[in-house]
Amino acid sequence: MALGEIGRRSEKARLRAVLEESRRDRGPVVAVVRGEPGAGKSTLLDVFGAEASAAGFRVATVRGTGAEDRPYAAANRLIAQLRAGGGKLVEIQHRTPPGDGPGGLIAAVPTERDVPVALCVDNMAQVDSWSLRWLLDLSRTLPPAPLAIVLTVRIWGAGVEAVSGPVDGAWGEPGTALLAAAELIDLPGLLTIDLPEAAAARCRVRLDTRTAAVCGELTGGNPALLHALLAPHTGSAPTADALRTTAASGALAGADRWLAPLSASALALARAVAVLGGGAEVVDSAELARLTVEEALGAVDQLVDACLLANHTPLAFRHPLLETMVLGRIAAGTRTALHLRAAALLRDRQAATTTVAHHLVAAGPVGEEWAMRCLWLAARQLEQKGRPQDAARCLRAALREPLRPHEKLAVRRELAELDAFVDPERAVRLLDAARCESQDPGVVLEYALALAAVLAECGRAEDAVTVLDDAAARLGRTPGDGSWQLRLRLHKAFACRRGPLWLAQAADPLGNLTCRTPHRGNAGRELAALRAVQAVDAGADRGAAVRYARQGLPRAEGDGSATLVWRTCGALVAAGEVAEAWTHCGRGRQVVGARPGRWDHIKVELLRAAVLRARGDLHGADTTLTPMADHLLAFAATGHPSAVTGVAALVEVHVLKGLVDSARSLLAESGLDRGPLPWRRDSAYALAARAAVHESDDPARALEDLLAAGRLLEEVGVRNPAVLPWRSRAARLLAARGERKEAAELAGAEAADARRWGTPESIGTALHALALTESGERRIDLLTDAAGMLARSSDHLHHAFVQADLGAGLAELGRGEAARAELLSALRLARACGAEPLARQVQGAWRSLREAGRGPWALPGAPRAAPDPASVAGSSVPPESAVHAAPHSASPLLDCLTPQERKILHLAKDGHSNRDIAGRLFVAVRTVEFHLSGAYRKLGISGRRQLAQVFSGG
C-alpha cells in the first residue's frame, strides 16, 4: 500500500466516488480535502491524481506557493498541462475589467467529448484569487465532458481557513464560495491501529500495540508529527519509554514548519502556555509572557489558526508533541526564568500545591522557605496519589533549598523511604552520607536508625548491625538522653532477628535490655514490641505476649512506624487475638501514614493479608496481596525479608485456592524454588510455601522442605506452633505415606507445645495431625476434639479441613447421619473461605459414598448416578454444578468467582486487553493475569472466546 493510502481507506473511497459521480452525471463535481498541517493532504491528493489517471481522466495538478505575481497564473498552468505542452497559454492582464470575467479561460480548457478531466489544486489558500474565480465558474458550467475538481485546504483551529478574494473585491470571496459548494472531506489523524504500518513505511520503525498507543497519544495521529517523533529511531523498535524521552527532549525535526510563521507575541504566548502546561488560563499565560490581555487574545487567535493550540480555554496544545517542540526551542536560562516566574505567579493565585511544585522542580533552588514547604507538601500529596517517583523529585528539590538540621533530617528520611522502594542502593548512599556528616547526636541517631532499617529491609542485616554499633560508639562519647543507647540496642536486636542465624549471637540478651525501667515514647514501645515477639517465639506465656503487644502499639500519628505495627499486631495474631489485630490494621494506615510506593504501605498490607489468612478468608488475602505481586517478586528475588514473607503468603493462598500453577510461577519468578535458601528466619516461611506447592506432585520434596524449616526455627529457639505449624504439616505427609510412628512423634510434640501456648487454633491444628496417625474410633475422637477446638477459633478454613476428614471417617464407620452433617458444614465453610479444592474433595467424597449405597447416603427418589437437586433440598449436598450458584448472579457459574474476578471478566468479555484492564482498575498487569487464569479454571473454560457463552448463561 502506498504511503498516502495508509489509514485513509474511507477518504480514498470518497474521492473515488467523486470520479464516479463526475463520470456518471457528466457535470463538474468539486471536493475539498481539509486537514491540519502535516495531516497528509498533498500526499492524498497525489493518490487521487494517480487513481484518476488510471481511470482514464486527463489530470492537471497545481500547488499554491503564495508567490504568484500574475492573475490566472495557476489557471494557466493547469491549462498548459491539459494541452500537454502543445497549446498556447491564454494571457490575461493583471487588471481585468470587472465585467469581462474569466470566460476566455473557460473556453480555453481543452476538452473532448467523453474524455474526463480532473483538476487537482493543492493548498488553495496560496492560489491567486483570479484562478480560484476561474475554478468557481468552471464548477458552475456544464462542460462537454466529465469534470472533477479536488482542492486541499489547511484548517484553522476554529474551522476552515478563509480564502481572500480579488484585489478590487468585485467578485467577493471565490475561495469561500468554492468551499460552500464543495463536498468536504475532513482528514483526521491516523488511528492507532494504522500507526505501525505508517511507521514502517515512513521511518522503518517497528511499533507494537503499546508503542503505537504512545505515538497516537503524543501526535494525535498526525503523519508529520509521527515522522518527527520516529525519525531518531529509524531502523529500530523503540520502547514506550524511549519514545517519551525523545518527545520530552523537544529536539525534533520539523519544528520550524509550525513555529516560523508566528509573530513575536504569538511565540511568547506559546512559550508561556508550554511552560504552564495543559489547562493554562489566558490571564496567567499573558502575565507570564509579559503581554496585555488584549495582546494575548490576539496571539491566542493566531496560535489557534496555526493549529498549535486547541480552540478552547483553558489553553492547551492540540497535540502533546507540539508542546514539547515549543519547550525544546526555549533556551535553558530562559526556560528556568519562566518556571521561576510561573511558580511565584501560581502560588499567588493559590493554585494546586503539586502544580506550583512542578515549576519549582524545573526551576531549581529558590532560596526561600515557602518553596521548601511547598515541595514537601506536594511530595506527600503525590505519594497519596500513588506517584512515588514524582514525590521523590519534589523531595530532592526541597533538599536544594536552605533547610534547618531537623528539616533536612525529615526530608532525607522521607526521600530514603521512597528510594528504598524503587532504588535501595540510592537510599543507602543518601542516608550514609548524611549520617557521616551530621554532628548533632539526635540527628545521628535518627539517620542511623533509618539507614539500619533500609539495610535490614534489603536483607543486609550484618551491615545494619555495623551501622548501629558505629552510632552507639559515637553517641557513647556524647552526653545526652540515655534512651538513645537503648533504642540502638533494640534496633540491633530486631536486625539480628532478620539476619543469618549466626548474627543472633550478637544481639543483647533480653534481660540486659529490660533491666532498666522502660522509657516512654518510641523507646518504650519498641522494647514492649521486642518482649512481645520474644514471648511468641518462646511460646510459654500467651498472656504476657498479648500484654506486651498492646503496650507497643502506636497510639497516634508519629508514635511509631509500620514495622512497629507489624511486630505488635503479628504477636496478637499468633496469640489468637485476630479481631483486635484487624482493628489495629485499619488504624495502622493512619497512625504510620502508610502511603503507596513505600515499604510501610507494603508492611501494613502484608499484615492485613496475614489477619485475613488467619480468619480463613482466602479471597480477601489474595485480593490484598496480588496487587503487590510485581513488587514483592522483584524484591524477593534480591533477598528482601519482607518480600520473601509476602511471596510465601501469596503462594500458600494460591495453593489453598487451587491455583497451583500460579503458585509455582510465583516461586519461580521470585527465585524461591531453587536450591538452598539463606539460613535466616524468613526462609522458613518460603520453605513452607514451597512444600505446599510440591505436596501434591512431590511429597518427598515437600517433607524435606518442611523439616528444613523446622530445623531453622529450632536453631533460633522457636517452638511455638503459632509461628509456623511445620510439625503438623510434616506429620500429615508422613501419615499419608504410611509412616505413622514418625508422624505421631511430630504431631505429639506439636500438640504439647500448642497446649502450652493455649490458642484453640494451635491445639486444633496439632490434634488434627495427630488424628491422622490413628484409625477407627481413636481417630474420630481426636478429630472431634480438633473440630471442637477450631470451632472456638477464627480459623474457619482449618475447621473445614477437620470437618471434611471427620465426615469421611464417620462415613467409613457407617455413621451416615453424623457424617452428612459434618460434610455439609465442611462444604459451606470451604466455599465461604474460597478453598475450591477442599470443596471439590468434599463433593467427591459425598458422591463416592452415595454411589456405594451405604445407609442414608442412598437418597429416596433420586437416581444413584446423578443426584437430583430437587430431591436433596436442604438435607444433602447439592450437585457440583450447583455448588457455585448464587441467587443474584446473571449466570450460576459466576458465583464461584470473587468480585474482582467478575469485574475483570466483564472487561475481558467487552474486548479490553489485559493492559487496558489493569489501567482501568489501577492494578498491575500480573494481577489481571492471575485473576483471569483463576477464573478460567473455576469456569472450566480455556480462554476469552468462551466468555460470551458464560455470561449468557449458555
Side-chain angles (χ1 to χ4, degrees), residues 711-799:
R711 289 194 302 272
L712 193 159
L713 291 176
E714 286 181 342
E715 286 190 29
V716 292
V718 178
R719 288 190 60 87
N720 189 346
V723 175
L724 180 65
W726 64 272
R727 284 170 291 185
S728 60
R729 296 184 186 182
R732 289 198 292 270
L733 290 175
L734 288 168
R737 66 185 197 182
E739 300 179 26
R740 293 195 173 186
K741 181 178 179 182
E742 294 84 352
E745 290 176 357
L746 286 174
E750 181 167 307
D753 287 335
R755 290 191 180 94
R756 189 161 60 106
W757 181 241
T759 59
E761 295 89 346
S762 299
I763 298 173
T765 300
L767 289 177
H768 182 204
L770 193 60
L772 298 181
T773 67
E774 303 288 346
S775 59
E777 291 294 341
R778 175 61 178 162
R779 170 181 282 202
I780 297 300
D781 291 343
L782 287 172
L783 287 173
T784 302
D785 291 343
M789 277 289 177
L790 291 168
R792 295 160 43 197
S793 77
S794 59
D795 192 352
H796 304 301
L797 179 59
H798 206 126
H799 189 199

Side-chain angles (χ1 to χ4, degrees), residues 60-149:
T61 303
V62 65
R63 302 188 186 281
T65 64
E68 305 292 351
D69 58 351
R70 294 176 295 121
Y72 298 110
N76 273 304
R77 285 157 55 194
L78 288 170
I79 293 171
Q81 292 178 54
L82 293 174
R83 291 182 175 180
K88 179 182 178 182
L89 292 180
V90 179
E91 298 290 346
I92 304 293
Q93 297 299 319
H94 181 68
R95 294 190 179 278
T96 304
D100 288 356
L105 280 176
I106 295 174
V109 175
T111 56
E112 301 176 10
R113 189 169 298 280
D114 300 327
V115 177
V117 174
L119 301 179
C120 304
V121 180
D122 193 15
N123 197 1
M124 62 180 289
Q126 298 296 318
V127 173
D128 64 278
S129 58
W130 289 270
S131 296
L132 291 177
R133 177 68 185 193
W134 173 70
L135 289 170
L136 178 62
D137 288 347
L138 274 180
S139 70
R140 296 170 175 175
T141 303
L142 185 62
L147 174 62
I149 303 174

Side-chain angles (χ1 to χ4, degrees), residues 10 59 83 124 128 136 184 224 245-246 307 352 384 436 526 567 598 607 747 766 779 848 854 859 924 947:
S10 61
V59 180
R83 291 182 175 180
M124 62 180 289
D128 64 278
L136 178 62
L184 300 179
T245 301
T246 300
C307 295
Q384 294 288 359
C436 294
E526 289 164 0
R567 292 163 183 162
R598 292 169 54 163
L607 180 59
R779 170 181 282 202
S848 62
R854 192 173 295 170
L859 299 176
L947 285 178

Side-chain angles (χ1 to χ4, degrees), residues 357-358 360-362 375 379 382 387-400 415 418-419 426:
H358 164 75
L360 292 173
V361 170
L375 288 165
L382 290 167
R387 296 165 57 186
Q389 293 181 342
D390 292 336
R393 279 192 283 271
C394 288
L395 291 175
R396 290 192 187 93
L399 285 174
R400 300 198 297 265
L415 180 58
L418 283 171
D419 282 342
R426 184 166 60 190

Side-chain angles (χ1 to χ4, degrees), residues 296-350:
L297 291 174
V300 167
D301 288 345
Q302 185 180 351
L303 292 170
V304 169
D305 293 342
C307 295
L308 277 167
L309 295 186
N311 186 38
H312 60 68
T313 57
L315 304 177
F317 285 85
R318 285 177 66 92
H319 307 302
L321 198 63
L322 295 173
E323 180 176 339
T324 62
M325 277 185 174
V326 173
L327 283 173
R329 306 273 292 193
I330 306 175
T334 303
R335 188 164 60 247
T336 299
L338 286 171
H339 278 297
L340 282 173
R341 290 184 55 224
L345 170 67
L346 294 174
R347 178 205 60 182
D348 294 341
R349 297 190 187 279
Q350 298 183 344

Side-chain angles (χ1 to χ4, degrees), residues 410-546:
V411 173
R412 278 176 168 169
R413 289 197 64 168
E414 285 205 29
L415 180 58
E417 289 174 356
L418 283 171
D419 282 342
F421 194 69
V422 294
D423 190 350
E425 288 303 319
R426 184 166 60 190
V428 169
R429 290 193 300 270
L430 170 70
L431 290 173
D432 193 40
R435 176 181 68 96
C436 294
E437 73 181 26
S438 300
Q439 299 301 323
D440 181 89
V443 173
V444 170
L445 171 70
E446 294 301 328
Y447 276 134
L449 296 180
L451 177 57
V454 173
L455 289 169
E457 201 65 66
C458 295
R460 297 167 56 182
E462 305 96 318
D463 295 335
V465 169
T466 300
V467 168
L468 294 170
D469 285 343
D470 177 69
R474 291 180 64 182
L475 294 177
R477 299 188 296 271
T478 305
D481 187 353
S483 67
W484 295 346
Q485 291 289 345
L486 177 58
R487 292 192 67 196
L488 289 169
R489 295 167 71 186
L490 286 169
H491 280 258
K492 179 178 177 179
F494 280 119
C496 290
R497 287 172 53 85
R498 306 190 73 180
L501 298 191
W502 61 265
L503 192 61
Q505 300 174 358
D508 291 329
L510 182 60
N512 293 347
L513 294 172
T514 58
C515 62
R516 308 177 184 184
T517 302
H519 291 260
R520 295 182 178 181
N522 287 338
R525 280 186 288 274
E526 289 164 0
L527 179 58
L530 179 62
R531 300 181 74 171
V533 296
Q534 293 205 358
V536 170
D537 287 349
D541 192 345
R542 184 167 66 93
V546 173

Side-chain angles (χ1 to χ4, degrees), residues 538-829:
D541 192 345
R542 184 167 66 93
V546 173
R547 185 170 63 255
Y548 291 136
R550 289 170 178 165
Q551 291 173 3
L553 283 166
R555 305 299 177 187
E557 186 172 355
D559 280 354
S561 65
T563 302
L564 193 60
V565 176
W566 167 270
R567 292 163 183 162
T568 52
C569 286
L572 290 175
V573 172
E577 303 295 336
V578 177
E580 184 177 352
W582 179 252
T583 300
H584 290 295
C585 280
R587 291 186 62 249
R589 289 177 168 178
Q590 287 75 40
V591 170
V592 304
R595 296 184 285 274
R598 292 169 54 163
W599 273 108
D600 56 8
H601 176 261
I602 292 287
K603 285 191 172 182
V604 171
E605 293 304 296
L606 289 178
L607 180 59
R608 284 168 48 83
V611 176
L612 290 166
R613 170 63 187 88
R615 291 162 53 179
D617 186 356
L618 298 180
H619 288 321
D622 191 12
T623 302
T624 302
L625 290 170
T626 298
M628 304 184 295
D630 287 336
H631 296 297
L632 293 176
L633 290 171
F635 283 106
T638 58
H640 283 55
S642 296
V644 170
T645 304
V647 171
L650 184 57
V651 167
E652 181 188 6
V653 167
H654 279 203
V655 170
L656 291 171
K657 292 182 67 176
L659 307 175
V660 179
D661 290 339
S662 173
R664 189 174 286 110
S665 297
L666 288 170
L667 283 178
E669 291 187 49
S670 62
L672 299 179
D673 65 336
R674 296 187 292 273
L677 298 175
W679 205 242
R680 65 188 191 201
R681 191 182 185 95
D682 58 281
S683 295
Y685 301 103
L687 288 167
R690 202 160 74 180
V693 171
H694 296 297
E695 186 173 337
S696 58
D697 60 355
D698 192 350
R701 182 179 177 185
L703 180 61
E704 180 183 346
D705 284 336
L706 284 171
L707 295 177
R711 289 194 302 272
L712 193 159
L713 291 176
E714 286 181 342
E715 286 190 29
V716 292
V718 178
R719 288 190 60 87
N720 189 346
V723 175
L724 180 65
W726 64 272
R727 284 170 291 185
S728 60
R729 296 184 186 182
R732 289 198 292 270
L733 290 175
L734 288 168
R737 66 185 197 182
E739 300 179 26
R740 293 195 173 186
K741 181 178 179 182
E742 294 84 352
E745 290 176 357
L746 286 174
E750 181 167 307
D753 287 335
R755 290 191 180 94
R756 189 161 60 106
W757 181 241
T759 59
E761 295 89 346
S762 299
I763 298 173
T765 300
L767 289 177
H768 182 204
L770 193 60
L772 298 181
T773 67
E774 303 288 346
S775 59
E777 291 294 341
R778 175 61 178 162
R779 170 181 282 202
I780 297 300
D781 291 343
L782 287 172
L783 287 173
T784 302
D785 291 343
M789 277 289 177
L790 291 168
R792 295 160 43 197
S793 77
S794 59
D795 192 352
H796 304 301
L797 179 59
H798 206 126
H799 189 199
F801 274 104
V802 172
Q803 286 189 306
D805 286 339
L806 179 58
L810 290 170
E812 289 178 359
L813 296 179
R815 294 154 66 177
E817 289 296 336
R820 178 165 55 191
E822 296 295 337
L823 287 177
L824 281 170
S825 179
L827 181 60
R828 284 194 292 268
L829 284 175

